[in-house]
Amino acid sequence: MAHTVSLFPHLKIKQFVNQIVPANSISNHPYLQHNCNFFACRLEELEANEKFMNTPHISDFFAVYFVREGAVHKAHQIKTITLEKNQIFFSKPGEVKTWNYIDDPKGFMLVFTQDFLLTAVDNKNLINTFDYLMANAQRKFVLGAYAQKVYRTIFSEIHKEFHSPSKHGKDLIKFWIFVMLTKTNKLYTDYSQKNREEPATGSIKYNYNRFL
């Protein structure tokens, strides 16, 4: 398996974005120049090219998909998954992913590197305290009515700051990402309790006190 994985292309954010978003909509974006470590867009903007679809790849960044309408069909770590209305899904660096097809989705996608996020904090091991990012943890969640409003606000603010950069835009983006990660840790804790599973680290209290 290790030998097979090594054959898959490893994509950085800019390489990934170039495969799924029309070039004319991002060619001059300041965040995509030089060392690109963050990107956000609406799912409606995605136009993955035929060569990229159904081609396994490995990314060096985190990706989050918030589907409000429609569906996104993917393979993740060899397992087929469908992201449908009012669902959110997280993937980590180093995992094998494949885009199969998109079915008129509406919502948001954001991708970011670990280095981008951790420049905002002193604890460089912080990302490992989010339970749902551990190996084999639940990464896809169905959002209730209240959670939909919360995540819609979070992603809208991130999208706004990305496409209309302000003086402190990157700091605001990092703040909203941490809010999202912490809120999702609560979703994971609730999911684990409902399904009688033990959270990986019991970190929800720590993260809540640290960021919210």
Side-chain angles (χ1 to χ4, degrees):
M1 177 65 180
H3 177 70
T4 302
V5 169
S6 68
L7 299 177
F8 297 148
H10 286 63
L11 302 183
K12 295 184 179 298
I13 287 180
K14 191 170 184 178
Q15 294 171 310
F16 173 70
V17 170
N18 286 339
Q19 298 292 336
I20 62 171
V21 180
N24 60 354
S25 67
I26 59 173
S27 57
N28 295 318
H29 196 289
Y31 283 162
L32 292 177
Q33 307 304 314
H34 308 297
N35 183 25
C36 177
N37 52 21
F38 175 80
F39 179 79
C41 72
R42 296 185 182 275
L43 294 178
E44 300 93 306
E45 302 170 34
L46 300 181
E47 289 185 13
N49 65 53
E50 293 184 4
K51 184 178 180 180
F52 181 69
M53 298 296 259
N54 299 306
T55 301
H57 65 276
I58 298 173
S59 60
D60 72 343
F61 49 84
F62 292 90
V64 189
Y65 304 89
F66 173 31
V67 180
R68 294 181 56 195
E69 300 284 349
V72 175
H73 304 267
K74 296 168 57 66
H76 183 81
Q77 295 289 80
I78 314 178
K79 295 181 180 180
T80 300
I81 62 171
T82 299
L83 311 179
E84 299 178 301
K85 182 177 180 180
N86 298 327
Q87 291 185 344
I88 189 169
F89 176 76
F90 295 76
S91 67
K92 291 176 58 177
E95 296 176 334
V96 180
K97 306 150 193 177
T98 307
W99 284 67
N100 293 333
Y101 64 97
I102 53 179
D103 186 10
D104 296 324
K106 294 181 180 180
F108 296 92
M109 178 193 77
L110 68 92
V111 296
F112 56 90
T113 65
Q114 181 166 303
D115 288 344
F116 171 79
L117 194 60
L118 295 185
T119 55
V121 297
D122 295 328
N123 181 3
K124 302 309 179 184
N125 194 45
L126 180 64
I127 202 71
N128 295 321
T129 68
F130 292 104
D131 300 329
Y132 57 96
L133 295 179
M134 299 297 179
N136 302 317
Q138 174 72 10
R139 304 269 190 81
K140 183 172 76 169
F141 304 94
V142 178
L143 303 178
Y146 173 73
Q148 292 170 36
K149 294 179 181 179
V150 171
Y151 281 85
R152 193 177 306 158
T153 297
I154 292 171
F155 279 89
S156 295
E157 289 296 323
I158 291 173
H159 185 268
K160 179 181 70 176
E161 289 297 335
F162 179 76
H163 289 279
S164 300
S166 63
K167 181 178 180 181
H168 301 290
K170 285 190 177 182
D171 291 333
L172 288 171
I173 287 170
K174 293 172 186 177
F175 166 79
W176 283 115
I177 291 176
F178 275 120
V179 172
M180 176 196 65
L181 293 175
T182 304
K183 291 290 186 183
T184 306
N185 221 39
K186 180 62 165 60
L187 286 180
Y188 175 76
T189 300
D190 293 344
Y191 168 87
S192 299
Q193 292 174 349
K194 182 178 179 181
N195 293 274
R196 298 183 179 179
E197 298 177 6
E198 287 295 327
T201 63
S203 64
I204 183 64
K205 182 176 180 180
Y206 167 79
N207 284 312
Y208 186 86
N209 292 335
R210 179 66 178 83
F211 296 106
L212 299 182

